[in-house]
Amino acid sequence: MPELFSRTRNVQKRSADEEKQKTARLSVLSNITLVLMKLSVGFAVGSLAIISEAIHSGIDLLAAVIAYISVKKASEPPDDIHEFGHGKFEDMSGFFEALLIFAAAVLIMYEAVMKLIHGSSALNTDLFGLFGIGILVMGISAVINFYVSSRLMKVAKETESIALESDAWHLRTDVYTSAGIMAGLILIKLTGILILDQLFAFGVAVIIMHAAYELTVRSFGTLTDRKLSDEEENRIREILCDHATDFANFHALRTRRSGADRFIDLHLVVAKDTTVEEAHDLSDHLEADILLEFPRTSITIHIEPCSGTCGGCTSLCRQGTTPAK
């Protein structure tokens, strides 16, 4: 039974890894296209807001490249140096992406403030054809990023990839900022208030910085081996309690995550007269049930004999209490 689950899990893992790499490549290609479009139009129009969006997309491109490299590296099997696999490479990519976004936000804020102080604004609003292209590029950018981010998020949820999810959130932020700048350019054209360009660029930087903060907190937590969510741990306890008649108790449940891989270990207390073979079969059965719900999981179960001081081998699960961690 464990061998069957192991083979099935390896097939699922290879399929998921291939899908992750394919989707990551899509993100790289779309960001290259958007950077070139925004830079060319931004400099032609003279819009700091569009150029700031080009910088944002440039950072997204770098983040997409990091995400692609990380998911490719994370798909490699364990080796002599990384005996628990390479999942942490995905977690590291999210942290580095957050730092890159912070840097981009600071740069955009600095440029916006400098232009506000010195009053240098040279938007080519008289060239309505070119200005209109700038508005159109922002609209196209929003549509493309919405599609790619939705695709990334779908694959990220299916494969539990923090690298792709981080990339998806970056691009979803681009959707909002591109749409906002498009609206700002329209307002500039209608009102002639050029300072709106710097104000919208500053707003883009604030949104980017907020996204970077959220991503930093999440990725750093995973890098420091934070336990699985309460919902996942409670579900693991429920699976164990479904077999409460087969053992006396369980405790010392510990969990952590590395990329898309989970790690679970616990102590299982069995009756004194349980044979080694029976305890091993029970352990295999529990592992199989957990793997059905959490396929990419490494499980370690330590078997302990009941001390006999509890008044009989009765499971805490049947008493309606939660086993101690």
Side-chain angles (χ1 to χ4, degrees):
M1 179 70 73
E3 291 78 9
L4 176 61
F5 273 101
S6 178
R7 288 196 299 270
T8 303
R9 181 172 57 179
N10 288 337
V11 171
Q12 292 174 337
K13 185 177 184 298
R14 284 196 298 270
S15 177
D17 290 337
E18 290 173 0
E19 184 65 21
K20 286 195 293 186
Q21 292 180 39
K22 178 181 176 181
T23 308
R25 284 194 296 268
L26 173 64
S27 178
V28 172
L29 293 175
S30 68
N31 276 298
I32 290 174
T33 302
L34 292 176
V35 168
L36 295 175
M37 288 173 55
K38 291 176 182 178
L39 278 178
S40 58
V41 174
F43 281 112
V45 176
S47 169
L48 178 61
I50 297 179
I51 295 174
S52 70
E53 263 298 278
I55 295 173
H56 188 186
S57 292
I59 297 299
D60 283 343
L61 172 58
L62 184 55
V65 172
I66 293 174
Y68 174 71
I69 294 174
S70 70
V71 297
K72 189 173 182 179
K73 184 66 177 178
S75 67
E76 296 180 4
D79 53 36
D80 293 338
I81 300 176
H82 303 92
E83 296 180 337
F84 288 91
H86 301 81
K88 288 292 184 184
F89 280 90
E90 284 203 44
D91 303 319
M92 290 173 61
S93 75
F95 185 72
F96 285 128
E97 287 174 40
L99 296 180
L100 290 172
I101 296 175
F102 268 123
V106 171
L107 177 60
I108 293 171
M109 284 182 172
Y110 174 79
E111 291 295 332
V113 170
M114 288 298 100
K115 282 204 170 187
L116 284 172
I117 292 175
H118 300 293
S120 57
S121 184
L123 282 173
N124 297 325
T125 55
D126 292 337
L127 301 175
F128 183 74
L130 190 58
F131 196 74
I133 292 176
I135 296 174
L136 180 62
V137 165
M138 288 297 100
I140 293 174
S141 173
V143 172
I144 291 177
N145 280 328
F146 180 79
Y147 169 75
V148 177
S149 65
S150 298
R151 175 76 181 275
L152 283 168
M153 188 63 73
K154 179 176 181 294
V155 176
K157 295 298 183 182
E158 292 174 349
T159 61
E160 300 182 296
S161 170
I162 187 173
L164 292 186
E165 185 177 348
S166 300
D167 202 14
W169 279 118
H170 293 169
L171 296 184
R172 187 57 57 88
T173 302
D174 257 2
V175 173
Y176 303 136
T177 55
S178 294
I181 289 178
M182 181 176 66
L185 292 174
I186 293 173
L187 284 175
I188 291 173
K189 183 61 184 178
L190 294 176
T191 64
I193 304 176
L194 301 183
I195 197 176
L196 288 175
D197 183 55
Q198 287 84 34
L199 295 178
F200 271 90
F202 197 87
V204 169
V206 172
I207 295 174
I208 295 172
M209 191 165 286
H210 175 73
Y213 170 78
E214 295 288 338
L215 181 57
T216 301
V217 172
R218 186 165 180 268
S219 58
F220 187 77
T222 308
L223 283 172
T224 53
D225 282 342
R226 179 182 296 172
K227 73 180 185 67
L228 299 181
S229 67
D230 291 340
E231 291 77 11
E232 289 181 316
E233 283 205 349
N234 287 336
R235 181 55 190 145
I236 293 169
R237 288 189 176 91
E238 289 175 359
I239 293 173
L240 293 171
C241 285
D242 285 341
H243 302 275
T245 57
D246 299 325
F247 58 83
N249 190 10
F250 69 89
H251 61 96
L253 174 64
R254 299 188 304 173
T255 64
R256 68 181 179 90
R257 191 177 188 126
S258 177
D261 299 318
R262 295 177 179 84
F263 293 86
I264 300 171
D265 66 75
L266 64 121
H267 292 194
L268 188 69
V269 184
V270 299
K272 280 186 174 182
D273 57 355
T274 303
T275 66
V276 173
E277 183 177 3
E278 290 172 338
H280 182 267
D281 289 343
L282 172 60
S283 177
D284 283 348
H285 193 67
L286 291 173
E287 288 181 25
D289 282 1
I290 293 174
L291 287 171
L292 279 174
E293 190 145 345
F294 304 101
R296 297 186 60 161
T297 303
S298 177
I299 306 168
T300 302
I301 298 179
H302 172 72
I303 302 294
E304 294 180 357
C306 179
S307 64
T309 60
C310 59
C313 290
T314 57
S315 170
L316 292 179
C317 298
R318 294 200 300 275
Q319 297 176 16
T321 59
T322 302
K325 290 189 66 176

